[in-house]
Amino acid sequence: MTNLKCLHAASEVAGFAKTGGLADVVGSLPLALQSRGIECAVVMPLYRACRAAKITPTEHRFRVPIGGRLVEGRLWRGKLPGSEVPVYLIEQADYFERDDDATDRGIYQFTDAKGQKADYADNCARFGFFSRGILEVMRLVNYWPDVLHLHDWQTALAGAYLREIYQHYAKPDLRGNYGRIRTFFTIHNLAYQGIFWHLDLPMLGFPWRLFTLDKLEFYGKLNCMKAGLVYADRLTTVSPTYAREIQTTLLGCGLHGVLMQRAERLHGIVNGIDEHVWNPAVDLLIEAKFDATTLDKGKSLCKAALQRAFKLAQNPRTPLLGMVSRLAVQKGLDLIEKVVPDALRQGAQFVVLGDGDKVHRDMLLKLQKDFPSQVGLSLGQSEAISHQIEAGADIFLMPSRYEPCGLNQLYSLKYGTIPVVHATGGLADTVVDATPQNVAMKRATGFAFMPFTPTAFADALNRCLTMFRDEPARWRQLQQTGMLQDYSWQRSAAEYERLYRLALNEFV
Ligand code: ADP
Ligand code: GLC
């Protein structure tokens, strides 16, 4: 088979900057592809957070027109942690180096005077510039991929720049190189689309003829996600169930029509997990290492450490619920508010690590105030605490309203922590509900509920608490079945490779 070259582009990459699962995916998938013989590189913006990683400047600079002026970018270089996979970082200090923990400024959003998170007003220019920069990187470092793999709306305009501008108007000797590239666009979350007013179209250098229903226009506005959907040669999303759900009015976020039209080109591939990072047998961030055979001892040490860290009573038989989450409507925090108090009244404990919207932070603070000796709360980002909750909790709550894939339930399975999930998207594809039949067949790995109502969630959580209390042998069976599931990246990478080859063969 011929060698393949693939350039991944994303707005966050683990080891450099992260707000959610996207970073984990883009930090891992290229490594798995590389180990299958596909040469990979990654491109991302250079935020302030990236300066903590090992990166070095290069001499490469480029300028592109944004809003009537030329904006300069400079390339830096790093590597994906523990590998030789190059990461190109686009430096543009005004656009990208404004993140700052001290003033609560993130990579997409800042915190206003009332404590609310708001998007930066110039996100269109920032990520339009980045999208165009992706194509400049190829030219500057002479890296011509067979596949340009774009992730989420922040990179989506690269597809439009490629097909509408670069393959026709780049220097004549480069047009062929651009024209040969096949593009993949992965939807990690359809709800975040990058919608901006119409005048951002000329600001980014696109002609008005692209402002049509079949291209970039969306209810009178510019929609970056839509550009990703219409220009890519292939579309993927991060689970088969989500691939179906986004073709419905309920979860299609206004783009279900476009997705239905491209259904034959849309594939769902479940994410993997990085087993060097998320694996209780090697995890250095947790109290005690364990695997499926040393589960009882290891997990009870991790549980006691978690209870200690959050100043909760250290009783091994008390069910300890855990949650690690962006605090956003997507994550079903309204169900947490309605259902968890009852579990606490039954004596459970609850530990949460979360970062995000003020309404959800306030809700969790109130829960802690109402149950001070049973609720442990950490607001903010912490890699270490996220591992400690996965390792120490008995039960992991993930009642997401929708969930394209979800990584935390996969981490939970690996750590013998039983997930309770809403059966949507990737949660439906990865957690097998403990029905009597699934338990008898030793297939069950967690508890899944539908529909998205407090009653259904409460019912699943009660089934879970009952098994924890009354059926320790069955509980252990669930834990071990979950721990033995294969969610390594190799499975997913094989599927991506198959699609890359399919796409390339179609056009030669
Ligand atoms: P999403 O990408 O929608 O946020 P995922 O389940 O795919 O959801 O991925 C979330 C990732 O972000 C996981 O790696 C999780 O551990 C991490 N994470 C979420 N919130 C925090 C936090 N407050 N601190 C540290 N890591 C977090
Ligand atoms: C998004 C989704 C999440 C998914 C992640 C990585 O942030 O919300 O479900 O796991 O991307 O694909």
Side-chain angles (χ1 to χ4, degrees), residues 163 179-183 233-234 265 501-508:
R163 296 291 179 240
R180 271 189 290 279
I181 297 169
R182 296 299 118 210
T183 55
D233 296 311
R234 292 270 168 170
R265 306 255 134 189
R501 293 196 183 277
L502 212 64
L504 286 163
N505 287 336
E506 271 166 4
F507 293 89
V508 283

Side-chain angles (χ1 to χ4, degrees), residues 219-237:
Y219 297 98
K221 297 194 169 162
L222 165 67
N223 184 326
C224 297
M225 174 69 81
K226 188 171 172 192
L229 304 186
V230 299
Y231 281 100
D233 296 311
R234 292 270 168 170
L235 303 174
T236 71
T237 187

Side-chain angles (χ1 to χ4, degrees), residues 18 20-21 24 325-326 330-331 353 380-382 406-408 411:
K18 166 168 167 176
D24 292 341
S325 186
R326 279 187 297 115
Q330 170 190 350
K331 301 297 178 181
L353 168 66
Q381 291 280 331
S382 166
L407 294 171
N408 277 308
Y411 302 151

Side-chain angles (χ1 to χ4, degrees), residues 293-309:
T293 54
T294 53
L295 169 66
D296 285 345
K297 181 153 180 281
K299 218 170 154 57
S300 54
L301 289 170
C302 290
K303 178 171 175 176
L306 186 63
Q307 288 169 321
R308 239 185 350 263

Side-chain angles (χ1 to χ4, degrees), residues 5-7 138 143-148 177 180-182:
K5 253 183 170 177
C6 179
L7 178 64
M138 300 175 186
Y143 188 94
W144 297 102
D146 300 289
V147 173
L148 170 61
N177 289 351
R180 271 189 290 279
I181 297 169
R182 296 299 118 210

